[in-house]
Amino acid sequence: MAVEVRDASPRHNLLKIESFSLLSESGIDKFESNEFEAAGHKYGNTDENGSRHISVYLAISGTTSLPAGWEVNAVFTFFMFDQLRDNYLSVRGKMRRFQPVKSLWGLAKFLSHNTFKEASNGYLVEDKCVLGAEIFVVQRQAIGECLSLVKSTDLFKQEWKICNFSKLGEDWLSEEFTVGGYKWKLWLYPKGNVNNKGCNISIFLKSVDAKDFDHHEKVKVNCSIILKDQLNGGCKKLSYCIWFSTTTLTWGYPGFMPLTQLRDKKKGYLVNDCIVVEVELKVEFKRSVKSLS
């Protein structure tokens, strides 16, 4: 609780009680105020005279008109008017969640009877007192997010025999293939990409989907690109592990193999103007962040 004295009156509710002493004498140990509204919600103020303290509570009223699963998070402050000094004792409670299973919160020991009745404190004057309440409702404006990580163990293999190699244009793209729920293509530059023009064959893996990812979505893959030796049964295999995202749409090797080595007939990589390329691909992790409604 936070206790302080302030001059400003309560913003939302003031309750004046006359002939306070007659409450107990008449057998009234609980009094409920009329409804009042704060931040679009209606509340009732309850004053209980017991356990040698004045207890003050707030309850949301009219809950039958609220949507199913409703909840209201609020910080409330209760006040007692000092009639001698013309200011208010204010006691602020913790933030509380009002909901169907708990629609009433307050302070069981707002003010002791001895403090309340002590004449010099000014709370009870000529058997009259004034209480108040102020409520700050915390509107839900935070953006809820859920981080999801999914691990996969499936290994995908795909082989392509690319013929008329010497007649290919600047680049060659395979048909789409799906691994881990994502679409991919093999991207090959027969005579090298921009930085390796005329020197090397360049081979990349291209993510078809990554351009449409949100900025949190990523896919981690283990990829091996293999150029097969069709004569001797060997191969050249290069592997990597990388996260594909909106900033990483392709990944591979600009200098996969020198063109002089590729064209060497003894090596067996280019036979009858055909090469055989294989991709081994495993989507290890999928990472995404979704908004919570």
Side-chain angles (χ1 to χ4, degrees), residues 155-171:
L155 178 64
F156 171 89
K157 291 185 178 182
Q158 177 75 38
E159 182 180 282
W160 292 271
K161 187 172 185 178
I162 305 171
C163 293
N164 298 314
F165 182 81
S166 62
K167 298 179 182 178
L168 294 177
E170 290 290 319
D171 63 349

Side-chain angles (χ1 to χ4, degrees), residues 37-194:
E37 189 169 317
H41 299 282
K42 293 181 179 179
Y43 299 83
N45 185 319
T46 301
D47 173 25
E48 295 184 351
N49 185 11
S51 301
R52 296 186 297 278
H53 284 79
I54 293 175
S55 305
V56 190
Y57 296 88
L58 285 171
I60 286 194
S61 57
T63 55
T64 56
S65 63
L66 295 176
W70 66 268
E71 69 173 51
V72 178
N73 295 293
V75 178
F76 46 80
T77 304
F78 294 114
F79 298 82
M80 183 66 76
F81 183 49
D82 181 343
Q83 300 172 64
L84 300 180
R85 299 168 185 83
D86 191 27
N87 57 29
Y88 292 86
L89 172 73
S90 72
V91 181
R92 186 174 69 250
K94 297 179 180 179
M95 182 181 294
R96 297 297 186 184
R97 179 182 295 176
F98 293 81
Q99 52 187 334
V101 296
K102 181 69 174 177
S103 60
L104 182 145
W105 288 100
L107 302 176
K109 296 183 177 181
F110 170 58
L111 196 64
S112 71
H113 286 174
N114 290 337
T115 301
F116 174 66
K117 293 177 180 178
E118 172 57 50
S120 63
N121 289 330
Y123 302 133
L124 186 64
V125 176
E126 296 179 357
D127 208 26
K128 297 180 178 65
C129 67
V130 179
L131 298 98
E134 199 169 81
I135 304 164
F136 174 69
V137 174
V138 180
Q139 302 291 346
R140 183 176 176 181
Q141 296 177 331
I143 299 173
E145 294 181 330
C146 177
L147 171 64
S148 176
L149 286 170
V150 179
K151 188 171 184 178
S152 175
T153 57
D154 295 334
L155 178 64
F156 171 89
K157 291 185 178 182
Q158 177 75 38
E159 182 180 282
W160 292 271
K161 187 172 185 178
I162 305 171
C163 293
N164 298 314
F165 182 81
S166 62
K167 298 179 182 178
L168 294 177
E170 290 290 319
D171 63 349
W172 174 91
L173 273 171
S174 74
E175 71 278 9
E176 288 183 1
F177 55 97
T178 301
V179 184
Y182 295 92
K183 295 176 182 177
W184 309 89
K185 286 186 177 184
L186 186 70
W187 197 358
L188 184 146
Y189 291 82
K191 299 178 181 64
N193 68 348
V194 175

Side-chain angles (χ1 to χ4, degrees), residues 202-251:
S202 305
I203 310 177
F204 301 89
L205 178 68
K206 174 182 174 66
S207 169
V208 177
D209 303 305
K211 66 182 186 304
D212 298 318
F213 285 177
D214 63 38
H215 67 286
H216 286 299
E217 189 171 2
K218 293 184 178 182
V219 179
K220 185 179 183 181
V221 302
N222 252 319
C223 179
S224 295
I225 299 175
I226 303 158
L227 185 57
K228 293 193 171 183
D229 175 351
Q230 303 173 63
L231 298 180
N232 308 301
C235 68
K236 180 172 183 178
K237 180 177 180 178
L238 297 178
S239 303
Y240 62 84
C241 185
I242 195 72
W243 285 95
F244 282 83
S245 65
T246 53
T247 57
T248 305
L249 305 179
T250 63
W251 196 266

